[in-house]
Amino acid sequence: MSRRRAVALVVIVALLLVALAALRWATRAETVGRFLLEMAGTASGLEITASAFDYRLRGTPELVAHDVVARVPGQPTPLLGADRVLLSVPWSTLRARGAVLDVQRLELDAPVLDLPAFLRWWGQRPAGDGAAPVFVDGIGITGGRIDAAGWRLEALSIELPEFAMNAPLRAHVRGRYVAAALRAPFDLRVAMTRASAQAGIGIAGTAAPTAASWRLPAWLRLSGRLDTAGGRIAVKRTALSLRGNLQLDDSTHPLVAGLAGEVLIAAGGLRIDPLAVTLRGQGLLPRLRAGGGLVLRDGLSLAMHGSLAEWPSAWPVLPAPLDRAQEPTPFAIGYDGAPDLSTPLALRLSRGDARFEGHVHTDAIPGWLAQLGAGTPLPPVAGTVRAPVLEIPGATLHGVEIRIDDQPSDDDRRMQP
């Protein structure tokens, strides 16, 4: 073999070794993972990191990233974290180096979304839909959580069979709403006219709000128009219908309820204003209509006014002449406290010419309702009743003022053994 041919052979072998080394470097999980995270970060404007990667190149390339964290550049609070993220991406997307955003499937295990941070990031995104990936085989989320101010969604499981911007969207969402001592597991089907910042939305399924002394398993249906522009999530012209059974310690009470209003989620809080509510109860539960507003953030604030259609026959009988009043009974309520309604609720109530002003221990209402069948116990209220006339057996009282205390007086305490 001549020297020239030997040198050429050595060069060819060296080039092959360099090419193989480059190919090995290019197909390392770390290299592929960093490239894909950089591509996703460029598209979203986020810094996305992971502690480790696994990958499979046979068939459709598949990358698994562990301990993924996404944050807005320069911000200490992560917007999103996940124990595991699986991304299946066709070769055509990899070769396009970001020009094509087709993704086969996305899976997230135990993701945690900081809702206030997400809304701040969303509000800074450029106007318009922009480029967005198409997920051919959809998106799957297990063990997820969304943290907001004073409430959270946990144990989230979300399955989208497919996803593409401006195409109809269907999803199955399960999880649990938690606020203080209130728990509400839910299992819902979600549909949107199109995956867009503005679209019609429909939700149907079951939920079971539960507190210490009551439970309300119910079937619900919600409709509205979603608007996610300007760093907020709004559902305009929201209409919610609910059919359920209020379960107390040893009794069940059917009810049908409706809600209409303008829903806004911003800065991690939820506001419904204006809000209209109707309730059609049976037995112990009244029929009423009310309007007002609601804010849920670190706590619950509620202000409403409305009327009872009639005094429920299962409630204690009112003294004359209040029992003869035929018109609806106006009321106004105000609440500012824990989301599970464990804080006393302010109440003004009118019946004929009589007035009550005070507060109600809402957490004691289920126990009071449960005892009505055994007698006529005083409701869990504190305040003042004023009436020009009250008729009791053997007497007619004029200019009546009755004060109801929820704490014993000093005299009461002295009389206790």
Side-chain angles (χ1 to χ4, degrees), residues 293-383:
L294 174 154
V295 176
L296 176 62
R297 190 170 168 79
D298 295 321
L300 173 65
S301 296
L302 174 69
M304 302 198 74
H305 59 275
S307 61
L308 301 174
E310 58 191 12
W311 193 261
S313 59
W315 288 11
V317 177
L318 296 172
L322 304 183
D323 61 341
R324 297 193 289 269
Q326 299 298 315
E327 67 273 9
T329 301
F331 69 87
I333 60 175
Y335 182 86
D336 192 1
D340 61 354
L341 298 177
S342 58
T343 305
L345 177 146
L347 171 66
R348 292 199 309 270
L349 185 72
S350 301
R351 179 75 173 175
D353 293 328
R355 304 287 184 270
F356 170 81
E357 186 166 353
H359 60 263
V360 181
H361 293 278
T362 52
D363 55 348
I365 289 178
W368 173 69
L369 292 174
Q371 296 175 37
L372 285 179
T376 56
L378 285 175
V381 300

Side-chain angles (χ1 to χ4, degrees), residues 26-43:
T27 57
R28 287 175 57 221
E30 183 81 10
T31 303
V32 175
R34 300 298 176 195
F35 166 72
L36 289 178
L37 291 188
E38 182 179 351
M39 186 174 69
T42 300

Side-chain angles (χ1 to χ4, degrees), residues 176-184 208-212 214 339-341:
R176 183 170 53 249
Y177 169 85
V178 178
L182 180 65
R183 303 287 188 272
T210 303
W214 58 270
D340 61 354
L341 298 177

Side-chain angles (χ1 to χ4, degrees), residues 25 74 83 122 148 151 162 263 268 304 307 321 356 369 375 404 413:
W25 175 85
D83 288 353
W122 183 260
W151 58 276
E162 57 185 351
V263 178
M304 302 198 74
S307 61
F356 170 81
L369 292 174
I404 306 171
R413 293 190 183 95

Side-chain angles (χ1 to χ4, degrees), residues 5-332:
R5 293 185 63 185
V7 172
L9 183 58
V10 170
V11 171
I12 291 172
V13 170
L15 289 175
L16 285 173
L17 290 174
V18 171
L20 289 172
L23 180 61
R24 178 179 174 82
W25 175 85
T27 57
R28 287 175 57 221
E30 183 81 10
T31 303
V32 175
R34 300 298 176 195
F35 166 72
L36 289 178
L37 291 188
E38 182 179 351
M39 186 174 69
T42 300
S44 63
L46 297 172
E47 290 180 355
I48 306 176
T49 61
S51 65
F53 300 91
D54 301 315
Y55 78 111
R56 186 193 70 184
L57 297 179
R58 183 176 300 173
T60 301
E62 189 176 276
L63 178 77
V64 176
H66 301 276
D67 302 321
V68 177
V69 175
R71 56 168 44 90
V72 176
Q75 296 296 319
T77 302
L79 184 150
L80 175 70
D83 288 353
R84 172 184 172 272
V85 176
L86 180 147
L87 191 65
S88 180
V89 183
W91 283 109
S92 57
T93 300
L94 295 176
R95 287 193 294 266
R97 300 183 64 83
V100 176
L101 296 179
D102 289 347
V103 175
Q104 199 69 29
R105 181 166 172 82
L106 174 66
E107 295 180 0
L108 294 92
D109 292 350
V112 178
L113 176 72
D114 186 301
L115 185 59
F118 170 80
L119 292 174
R120 287 192 298 270
W121 167 77
W122 183 260
Q124 297 169 0
R125 299 294 294 160
D129 290 337
V134 173
F135 295 89
V136 179
D137 290 334
I139 301 172
I141 296 173
T142 58
R145 195 177 82 225
I146 297 176
D147 291 335
W151 58 276
R152 68 182 183 273
L153 300 179
E154 63 182 27
L156 275 173
S157 172
I158 303 175
E159 184 63 37
L160 288 79
E162 57 185 351
F163 177 90
M165 291 298 297
N166 296 313
L169 180 146
R170 295 177 296 110
H172 184 196
V173 182
R174 291 173 293 170
R176 183 170 53 249
Y177 169 85
V178 178
L182 180 65
R183 303 287 188 272
F186 54 84
D187 188 335
L188 306 171
R189 301 284 178 171
V190 180
M192 293 174 58
T193 54
R194 60 192 182 114
S196 172
Q198 295 181 325
I201 184 171
I203 300 174
T206 60
T210 303
S213 56
W214 58 270
R215 185 170 181 266
L216 180 59
W219 180 90
L220 62 87
R221 182 186 296 272
L222 180 146
S223 63
R225 184 159 188 84
L226 184 68
D227 184 352
T228 59
R232 61 196 181 101
I233 301 173
V235 184
K236 300 179 178 179
R237 299 190 296 276
T238 302
L240 170 68
S241 60
L242 179 149
R243 183 183 300 271
N245 291 281
L246 177 62
Q247 298 177 351
L248 305 180
D249 290 339
D250 56 357
S251 60
T252 299
H253 308 279
L255 64 86
V256 176
L259 178 152
E262 301 291 311
V263 178
L264 175 65
I265 300 175
L270 180 146
R271 176 188 296 272
I272 309 178
D273 189 9
L275 168 65
V277 176
T278 62
L279 172 64
R280 288 192 289 119
Q282 300 179 24
L284 298 176
L285 301 181
R287 294 170 53 228
L288 63 81
R289 292 178 179 272
L294 174 154
V295 176
L296 176 62
R297 190 170 168 79
D298 295 321
L300 173 65
S301 296
L302 174 69
M304 302 198 74
H305 59 275
S307 61
L308 301 174
E310 58 191 12
W311 193 261
S313 59
W315 288 11
V317 177
L318 296 172
L322 304 183
D323 61 341
R324 297 193 289 269
Q326 299 298 315
E327 67 273 9
T329 301
F331 69 87

